């Protein structure tokens, strides 16, 4: 395929070699559980998710950065785009299969719970690939990302994230940038609501600049709302009202997954305000980085987060580990669980955050009452 490097010309990162096969495999697990006879096998995806979370720290990082002269070939390769596109029909097929099986009346309550959780994980992880597609310069790719967001009711993410988060990250203006001392259980629900509201504000302002009404059909947020609502109406029409709890579960897992990822990615890090009132340029210092291999495989290497923000258009297969960026102690699959236990999160992360502040690379980001006194004068509130 055009753009693919010839064998032996470079050392590829594991993600560049494996691409989206782990996500495709994850999608297949609810179907495999049914083929294996159901029962405990309807919990298969849950078991695999727990297993990969446990092994991630032991597998360790993949710190390969591609040579600059090889990046162009990797970036223009159609192969990486196709591997993302494949997830759209796969995700939709597994989602519809899950609705059919969940509402069919042949499952016990325990099997229904297992299928609900398993399909939420399998379908919800489509959000990681959708995030990648939403950043692509090609209109077709961006729409494929929106289609991946549709079954999990996250289409509005494409507007908030691209035009809100990436402009306001690591400032108090961004609901997706967590402050030092925040509890993820408070941050998550608040950020989900505020990110959606910001999406409406972004579109309203865009249309006002064009002399159009925010309530016109040109409002992207309107269509980003219509798509998942249409999905839900179709699922209820096909499978009855029992489809509603499955839709809600898919929504909650995906939204929660990306909200906790947001919490990890910028916790306590702020850009400094400039004398004229704006914010300093986004740098490596404003996002927590890591490259633990198993996490990278399931998150489309977005855990190389500093490079993602410093170079927004860089596709996932060539994202780099940035040596000057702050580093999470473990991969996302581990830190997701750490974040959900606030005392453990503070024990693991606060010494690391404060040590990075002491380096002067990033300003403290937090409310005065939550910050150690020695950081309050330099903090961004």
């Amino acid at each position: 395929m055009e753009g693919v490097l010839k064998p032996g010309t470079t050392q590829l990162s594991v993600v560049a070699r494996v691409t989206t096969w782990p996500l495709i495999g994850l999608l297949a697990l609810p179907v495999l559980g049914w083929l294996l006879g159901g029962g405990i096998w309807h919990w298969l995806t849950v078991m695999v998710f727990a297993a990969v979370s446990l092994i991630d720290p032991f597998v360790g990082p993949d710190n390969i950065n591609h040579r600059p002269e090889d990046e162009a070939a990797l970036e223009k390769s159609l192969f990486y785009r196709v591997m993302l596109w494949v997830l759209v029909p796969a995700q939709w097929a597994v989602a519809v299969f899950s609705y059919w099986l969940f509402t069919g009346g042949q499952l016990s309550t325990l099997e229904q719970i297992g299928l609900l959780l398993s399909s939420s994980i399998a379908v919800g992880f489509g959000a990681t690939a959708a995030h990648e597609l939403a950043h692509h310069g090609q209109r077709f790719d961006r729409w494929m990302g929106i289609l991946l967001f549709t079954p999990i009711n996250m289409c509005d993410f494409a507007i908030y994230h691209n035009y809100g988060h990436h402009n306001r990250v690591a400032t108090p203006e961004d609901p997706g940038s967590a402050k030092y001392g925040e509890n993820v259980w408070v941050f998550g629900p608040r950020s989900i609501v505020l990110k959606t509201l910001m999406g409406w504000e972004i579109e309203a302002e865009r249309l006002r600049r064009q002399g159009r009404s925010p309530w016109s059909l040109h409002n992207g947020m309107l269509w980003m709302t219509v798509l998942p609502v249409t999905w839900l109406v179709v699922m209820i029409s096909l499978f009855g009202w029992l489809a509603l709890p499955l839709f809600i579960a898919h929504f909650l897992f995906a939204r929660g997954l990306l909200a906790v990822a947001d919490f990890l990615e910028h916790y306590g890090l702020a850009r400094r305000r400039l004398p004229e009132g704006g914010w300093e340029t986004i740098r490596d210092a404003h996002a927590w980085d890591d490259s633990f291999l198993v996490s990278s495989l399931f998150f489309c290497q977005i855990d190389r987060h500093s490079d993602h923000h410093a170079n927004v258009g860089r596709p996932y297969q060539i994202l780099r580990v940035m040596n000057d960026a702050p580093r999470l102690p473990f991969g996302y699959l581990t830190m997701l669980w750490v974040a959900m236990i606030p005392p453990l999160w503070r024990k693991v992360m606060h010494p690391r955050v404060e040590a990075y502040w002491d380096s002067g690379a990033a300003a403290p980001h937090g409310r005065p009452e939550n910050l150690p006194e020695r950081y309050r004068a330099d903090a961004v509130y």
Side-chain angles (χ1 to χ4, degrees):
M1 195 169 288
E2 181 185 356
V4 174
L5 293 168
K6 295 178 181 179
T9 59
T10 190
Q11 184 182 15
L12 293 179
S13 70
V14 176
V15 170
R17 284 187 270 124
V18 175
T19 67
T20 60
W21 281 113
L23 290 174
I24 294 168
L26 188 68
L27 271 170
L29 292 177
V31 181
L32 179 59
W34 174 68
L35 291 173
L36 289 172
I40 193 64
W41 293 113
H42 284 307
W43 291 77
L44 178 62
T45 316
V46 179
M47 293 185 282
V48 170
F49 182 56
V52 296
S53 299
L54 288 171
I55 68 172
D56 192 28
F58 300 99
V59 174
D62 172 20
N63 288 324
I64 291 175
N65 287 341
H66 299 116
R67 299 180 304 177
E69 60 267 29
D70 293 328
E71 286 185 357
L74 289 166
E75 183 171 7
K76 71 180 182 180
S77 171
L78 182 61
F79 170 71
Y80 293 100
R81 296 173 61 201
V82 170
M83 289 302 293
L84 290 164
W85 301 342
V86 165
L87 286 165
V88 177
Q91 183 212 42
W92 280 46
V94 171
V96 172
F97 166 82
S98 300
Y99 280 100
W100 166 76
L101 188 57
F102 185 79
T103 61
Q106 66 267 44
L107 300 183
S108 69
T109 300
L110 190 62
E111 287 176 318
Q112 279 190 310
I113 295 171
L115 177 63
L116 182 143
L117 294 174
S118 288
S119 65
S120 296
I121 295 168
V123 173
F125 258 91
T128 64
H131 164 267
E132 170 66 23
L133 285 163
H135 277 293
H136 283 198
Q138 300 88 353
R139 183 185 295 270
F140 177 79
D141 287 28
R142 294 196 299 273
W143 272 107
M144 292 296 274
I146 288 168
L147 290 177
L148 274 173
F149 277 136
T150 297
I152 53 179
N153 191 16
M154 284 193 62
C155 298
D156 59 302
F157 177 90
I159 292 175
Y160 152 75
H161 185 81
N162 283 11
Y163 304 108
H165 177 65
H166 274 272
N167 291 324
R168 307 181 192 188
V169 66
T171 75
E173 299 168 5
D174 176 33
S177 296
K179 301 175 183 66
Y180 180 94
E182 281 196 292
N183 182 318
V184 73
W185 297 101
V186 176
F187 168 84
R190 186 187 73 241
S191 71
I192 290 169
V193 172
L194 292 180
K195 285 186 286 191
T196 297
L197 292 175
M198 184 175 286
W200 286 101
E201 292 170 6
I202 289 167
E203 278 296 276
E205 179 58 29
R206 180 182 70 84
L207 291 170
R208 288 191 192 101
R209 290 197 302 268
Q210 297 176 358
R212 291 172 169 156
S213 167
W215 298 107
S216 73
L217 294 178
H218 297 282
N219 191 322
M221 283 294 291
L222 179 63
W223 296 106
M224 298 303 105
T225 304
V226 166
L227 284 170
V229 169
T230 301
W231 170 274
L232 175 59
V233 169
V234 171
M235 292 301 106
I236 291 174
S237 299
L238 291 173
F239 304 111
W241 283 102
L242 197 56
L244 182 60
L246 200 61
F247 177 81
I248 292 172
H250 291 179
F251 161 77
L252 289 175
F253 177 82
R255 290 273 183 172
L257 178 70
L258 290 194
V260 180
D262 276 343
F263 184 80
L264 305 178
E265 288 162 354
H266 306 285
Y267 183 82
L269 303 176
R271 291 189 275 159
R272 293 181 173 86
R273 191 177 283 279
L274 301 174
E276 61 270 22
W279 300 98
E280 67 172 313
T281 301
I282 298 166
R283 295 181 288 104
D284 302 345
H286 300 127
W288 291 95
D289 222 33
D290 86 74
S291 55
F292 276 75
L293 175 56
V294 180
S295 289
S296 293
L297 290 170
F298 287 96
F299 284 89
C300 287
Q301 214 158 235
I302 199 59
D303 44 354
R304 299 184 176 202
H305 207 65
S306 293
D307 194 22
H308 172 66
H309 273 279
N311 302 280
V312 178
R314 188 180 293 276
Y316 77 103
Q317 66 268 22
I318 58 171
L319 284 172
R320 299 167 297 181
V321 177
M322 308 301 280
N323 292 330
D324 295 331
R327 301 281 292 176
L328 292 172
F330 302 105
Y332 280 25
L333 287 170
T334 302
M335 295 304 292
L336 290 170
W337 299 104
V338 172
M340 287 189 280
I341 307 172
L344 179 60
W345 171 262
R346 292 191 294 270
K347 183 176 181 179
V348 170
M349 283 300 295
H350 280 194
R352 189 170 292 253
V353 175
E354 292 173 23
Y356 198 70
W357 290 344
D358 289 339
S359 76
H365 187 193
R367 299 183 186 280
E369 63 271 20
N370 291 334
L371 290 168
E373 187 172 355
R374 67 185 185 277
Y375 297 113
R376 294 175 185 172
D378 296 326
V380 174
Y381 301 132

